Amino acid sequence: MRTPLSKQDIVTLKSLIAAGKLLVVPTDTVYGIAADPFSASAVDRLLTAKGRGRDFPSPVLVSSISQAAELVPEIPPLARAFMEKFWPGALTVVLPARKDLPLDLGVTGGTVAVRQPDQRDLLQLLQENGPLAVTSANLHGLPPAQTVPQAQEYFGNKVAEYLDAGRSQIGEPSTIVKVEEAEYSVLRSGAIPPRQLQLVAGKAAKQ
């Protein structure tokens, strides 16, 4: 399916997500493989397609800070500062997850990793559908796909629909930070360099 997406495209994609199917979607960083984060069977299908276990939980992409706020008990001031500075963009923020939500993303230790991507078509889908579990479109241990043909080589007919928006803008994964009250740690280096994080936080990451 080529982007930009029509209203009928959105209807079709929402029905596939509701049925527990997998999608490959464009993000600003690399292509991602997506599933319903509230469906354990859909997330299991996603992790199986990638060839990795539940000890590698999937992040959740959202359309806005307010949509992210629905997944967590609260957004600490430091986490909100990161979101306001870098969202939409290539920063994933790990926070405690709401215990009353049926999120089943793998072994998360009670957390959820959230990000608002800077990709118009995906943001439209997230706004219409709600959050999606989205992890990089690659087989475990191989480079993330930066084009739809590359993703198709990885997944073939395991994915119900491929959204093609051309080559990825950034081409490297997001930076992942975990925020605990006023402290933060970098779980994965990526497109947002440590210096930019430090400028926002007013301090270096916790080692």
Side-chain angles (χ1 to χ4, degrees), residues 2 7 18 26 36 46 76 78 80 85 88 91 95 98 120 124 136 141 148 153 156 162 171 199:
R2 294 290 302 186
K7 289 184 179 179
D36 181 354
L46 182 156
L78 178 56
R80 185 171 291 275
K85 174 65 176 178
L91 184 71
L95 295 169
R98 275 176 53 185
R120 178 189 61 189
Q124 180 186 0
S136 58
V148 159
E153 288 183 13
Y162 291 82
L199 287 172

Side-chain angles (χ1 to χ4, degrees), residues 157-180:
N157 61 8
K158 293 178 182 177
V159 167
E161 188 65 73
Y162 291 82
L163 278 62
D164 192 345
R167 180 167 288 275
S168 300
Q169 302 166 38
I170 296 174
E172 67 175 310
S174 66
T175 298
I176 301 178
V177 296
K178 184 175 184 179
V179 176
E180 298 172 280

Side-chain angles (χ1 to χ4, degrees), residues 10-158:
I10 295 291
V11 170
T12 299
L13 294 171
K14 287 177 65 176
S15 68
L16 290 172
I17 294 163
K21 304 294 187 181
L22 303 181
L23 310 176
V24 160
V25 297
T27 82
D28 46 341
T29 54
V30 295
Y31 273 81
I33 182 169
D36 181 354
F38 300 105
S39 168
S41 60
V43 172
D44 281 344
R45 193 172 294 120
L46 182 156
L47 295 175
T48 299
K50 279 181 66 83
R52 71 186 196 185
R54 291 176 59 81
D55 52 334
F56 289 90
S58 175
V60 175
L61 297 191
V62 295
S63 65
S64 62
I65 295 176
S66 60
Q67 198 175 78
E70 297 172 1
L71 304 177
V72 299
E74 64 173 346
I75 298 178
L78 178 56
R80 185 171 291 275
F82 282 146
M83 292 172 181
E84 290 176 349
K85 174 65 176 178
F86 298 112
W87 284 12
L91 184 71
T92 300
V93 182
V94 178
L95 295 169
R98 275 176 53 185
K99 295 180 180 179
D100 60 322
L101 287 181
L103 283 171
D104 192 334
L105 304 167
V107 180
T108 66
T111 64
V112 61
V114 290
R115 182 168 87 88
Q116 181 192 17
D118 190 10
Q119 211 288 332
R120 178 189 61 189
D121 304 294
L122 181 54
L123 286 173
Q124 180 186 0
L125 178 59
L126 293 167
Q127 187 171 4
E128 296 284 344
N129 180 83
L132 287 172
V134 182
T135 185
S136 58
N138 61 289
L139 300 180
H140 188 52
L142 295 179
Q146 297 188 38
T147 64
V148 159
Q150 189 178 0
Q152 289 172 325
E153 288 183 13
Y154 286 146
F155 301 117
N157 61 8
K158 293 178 182 177

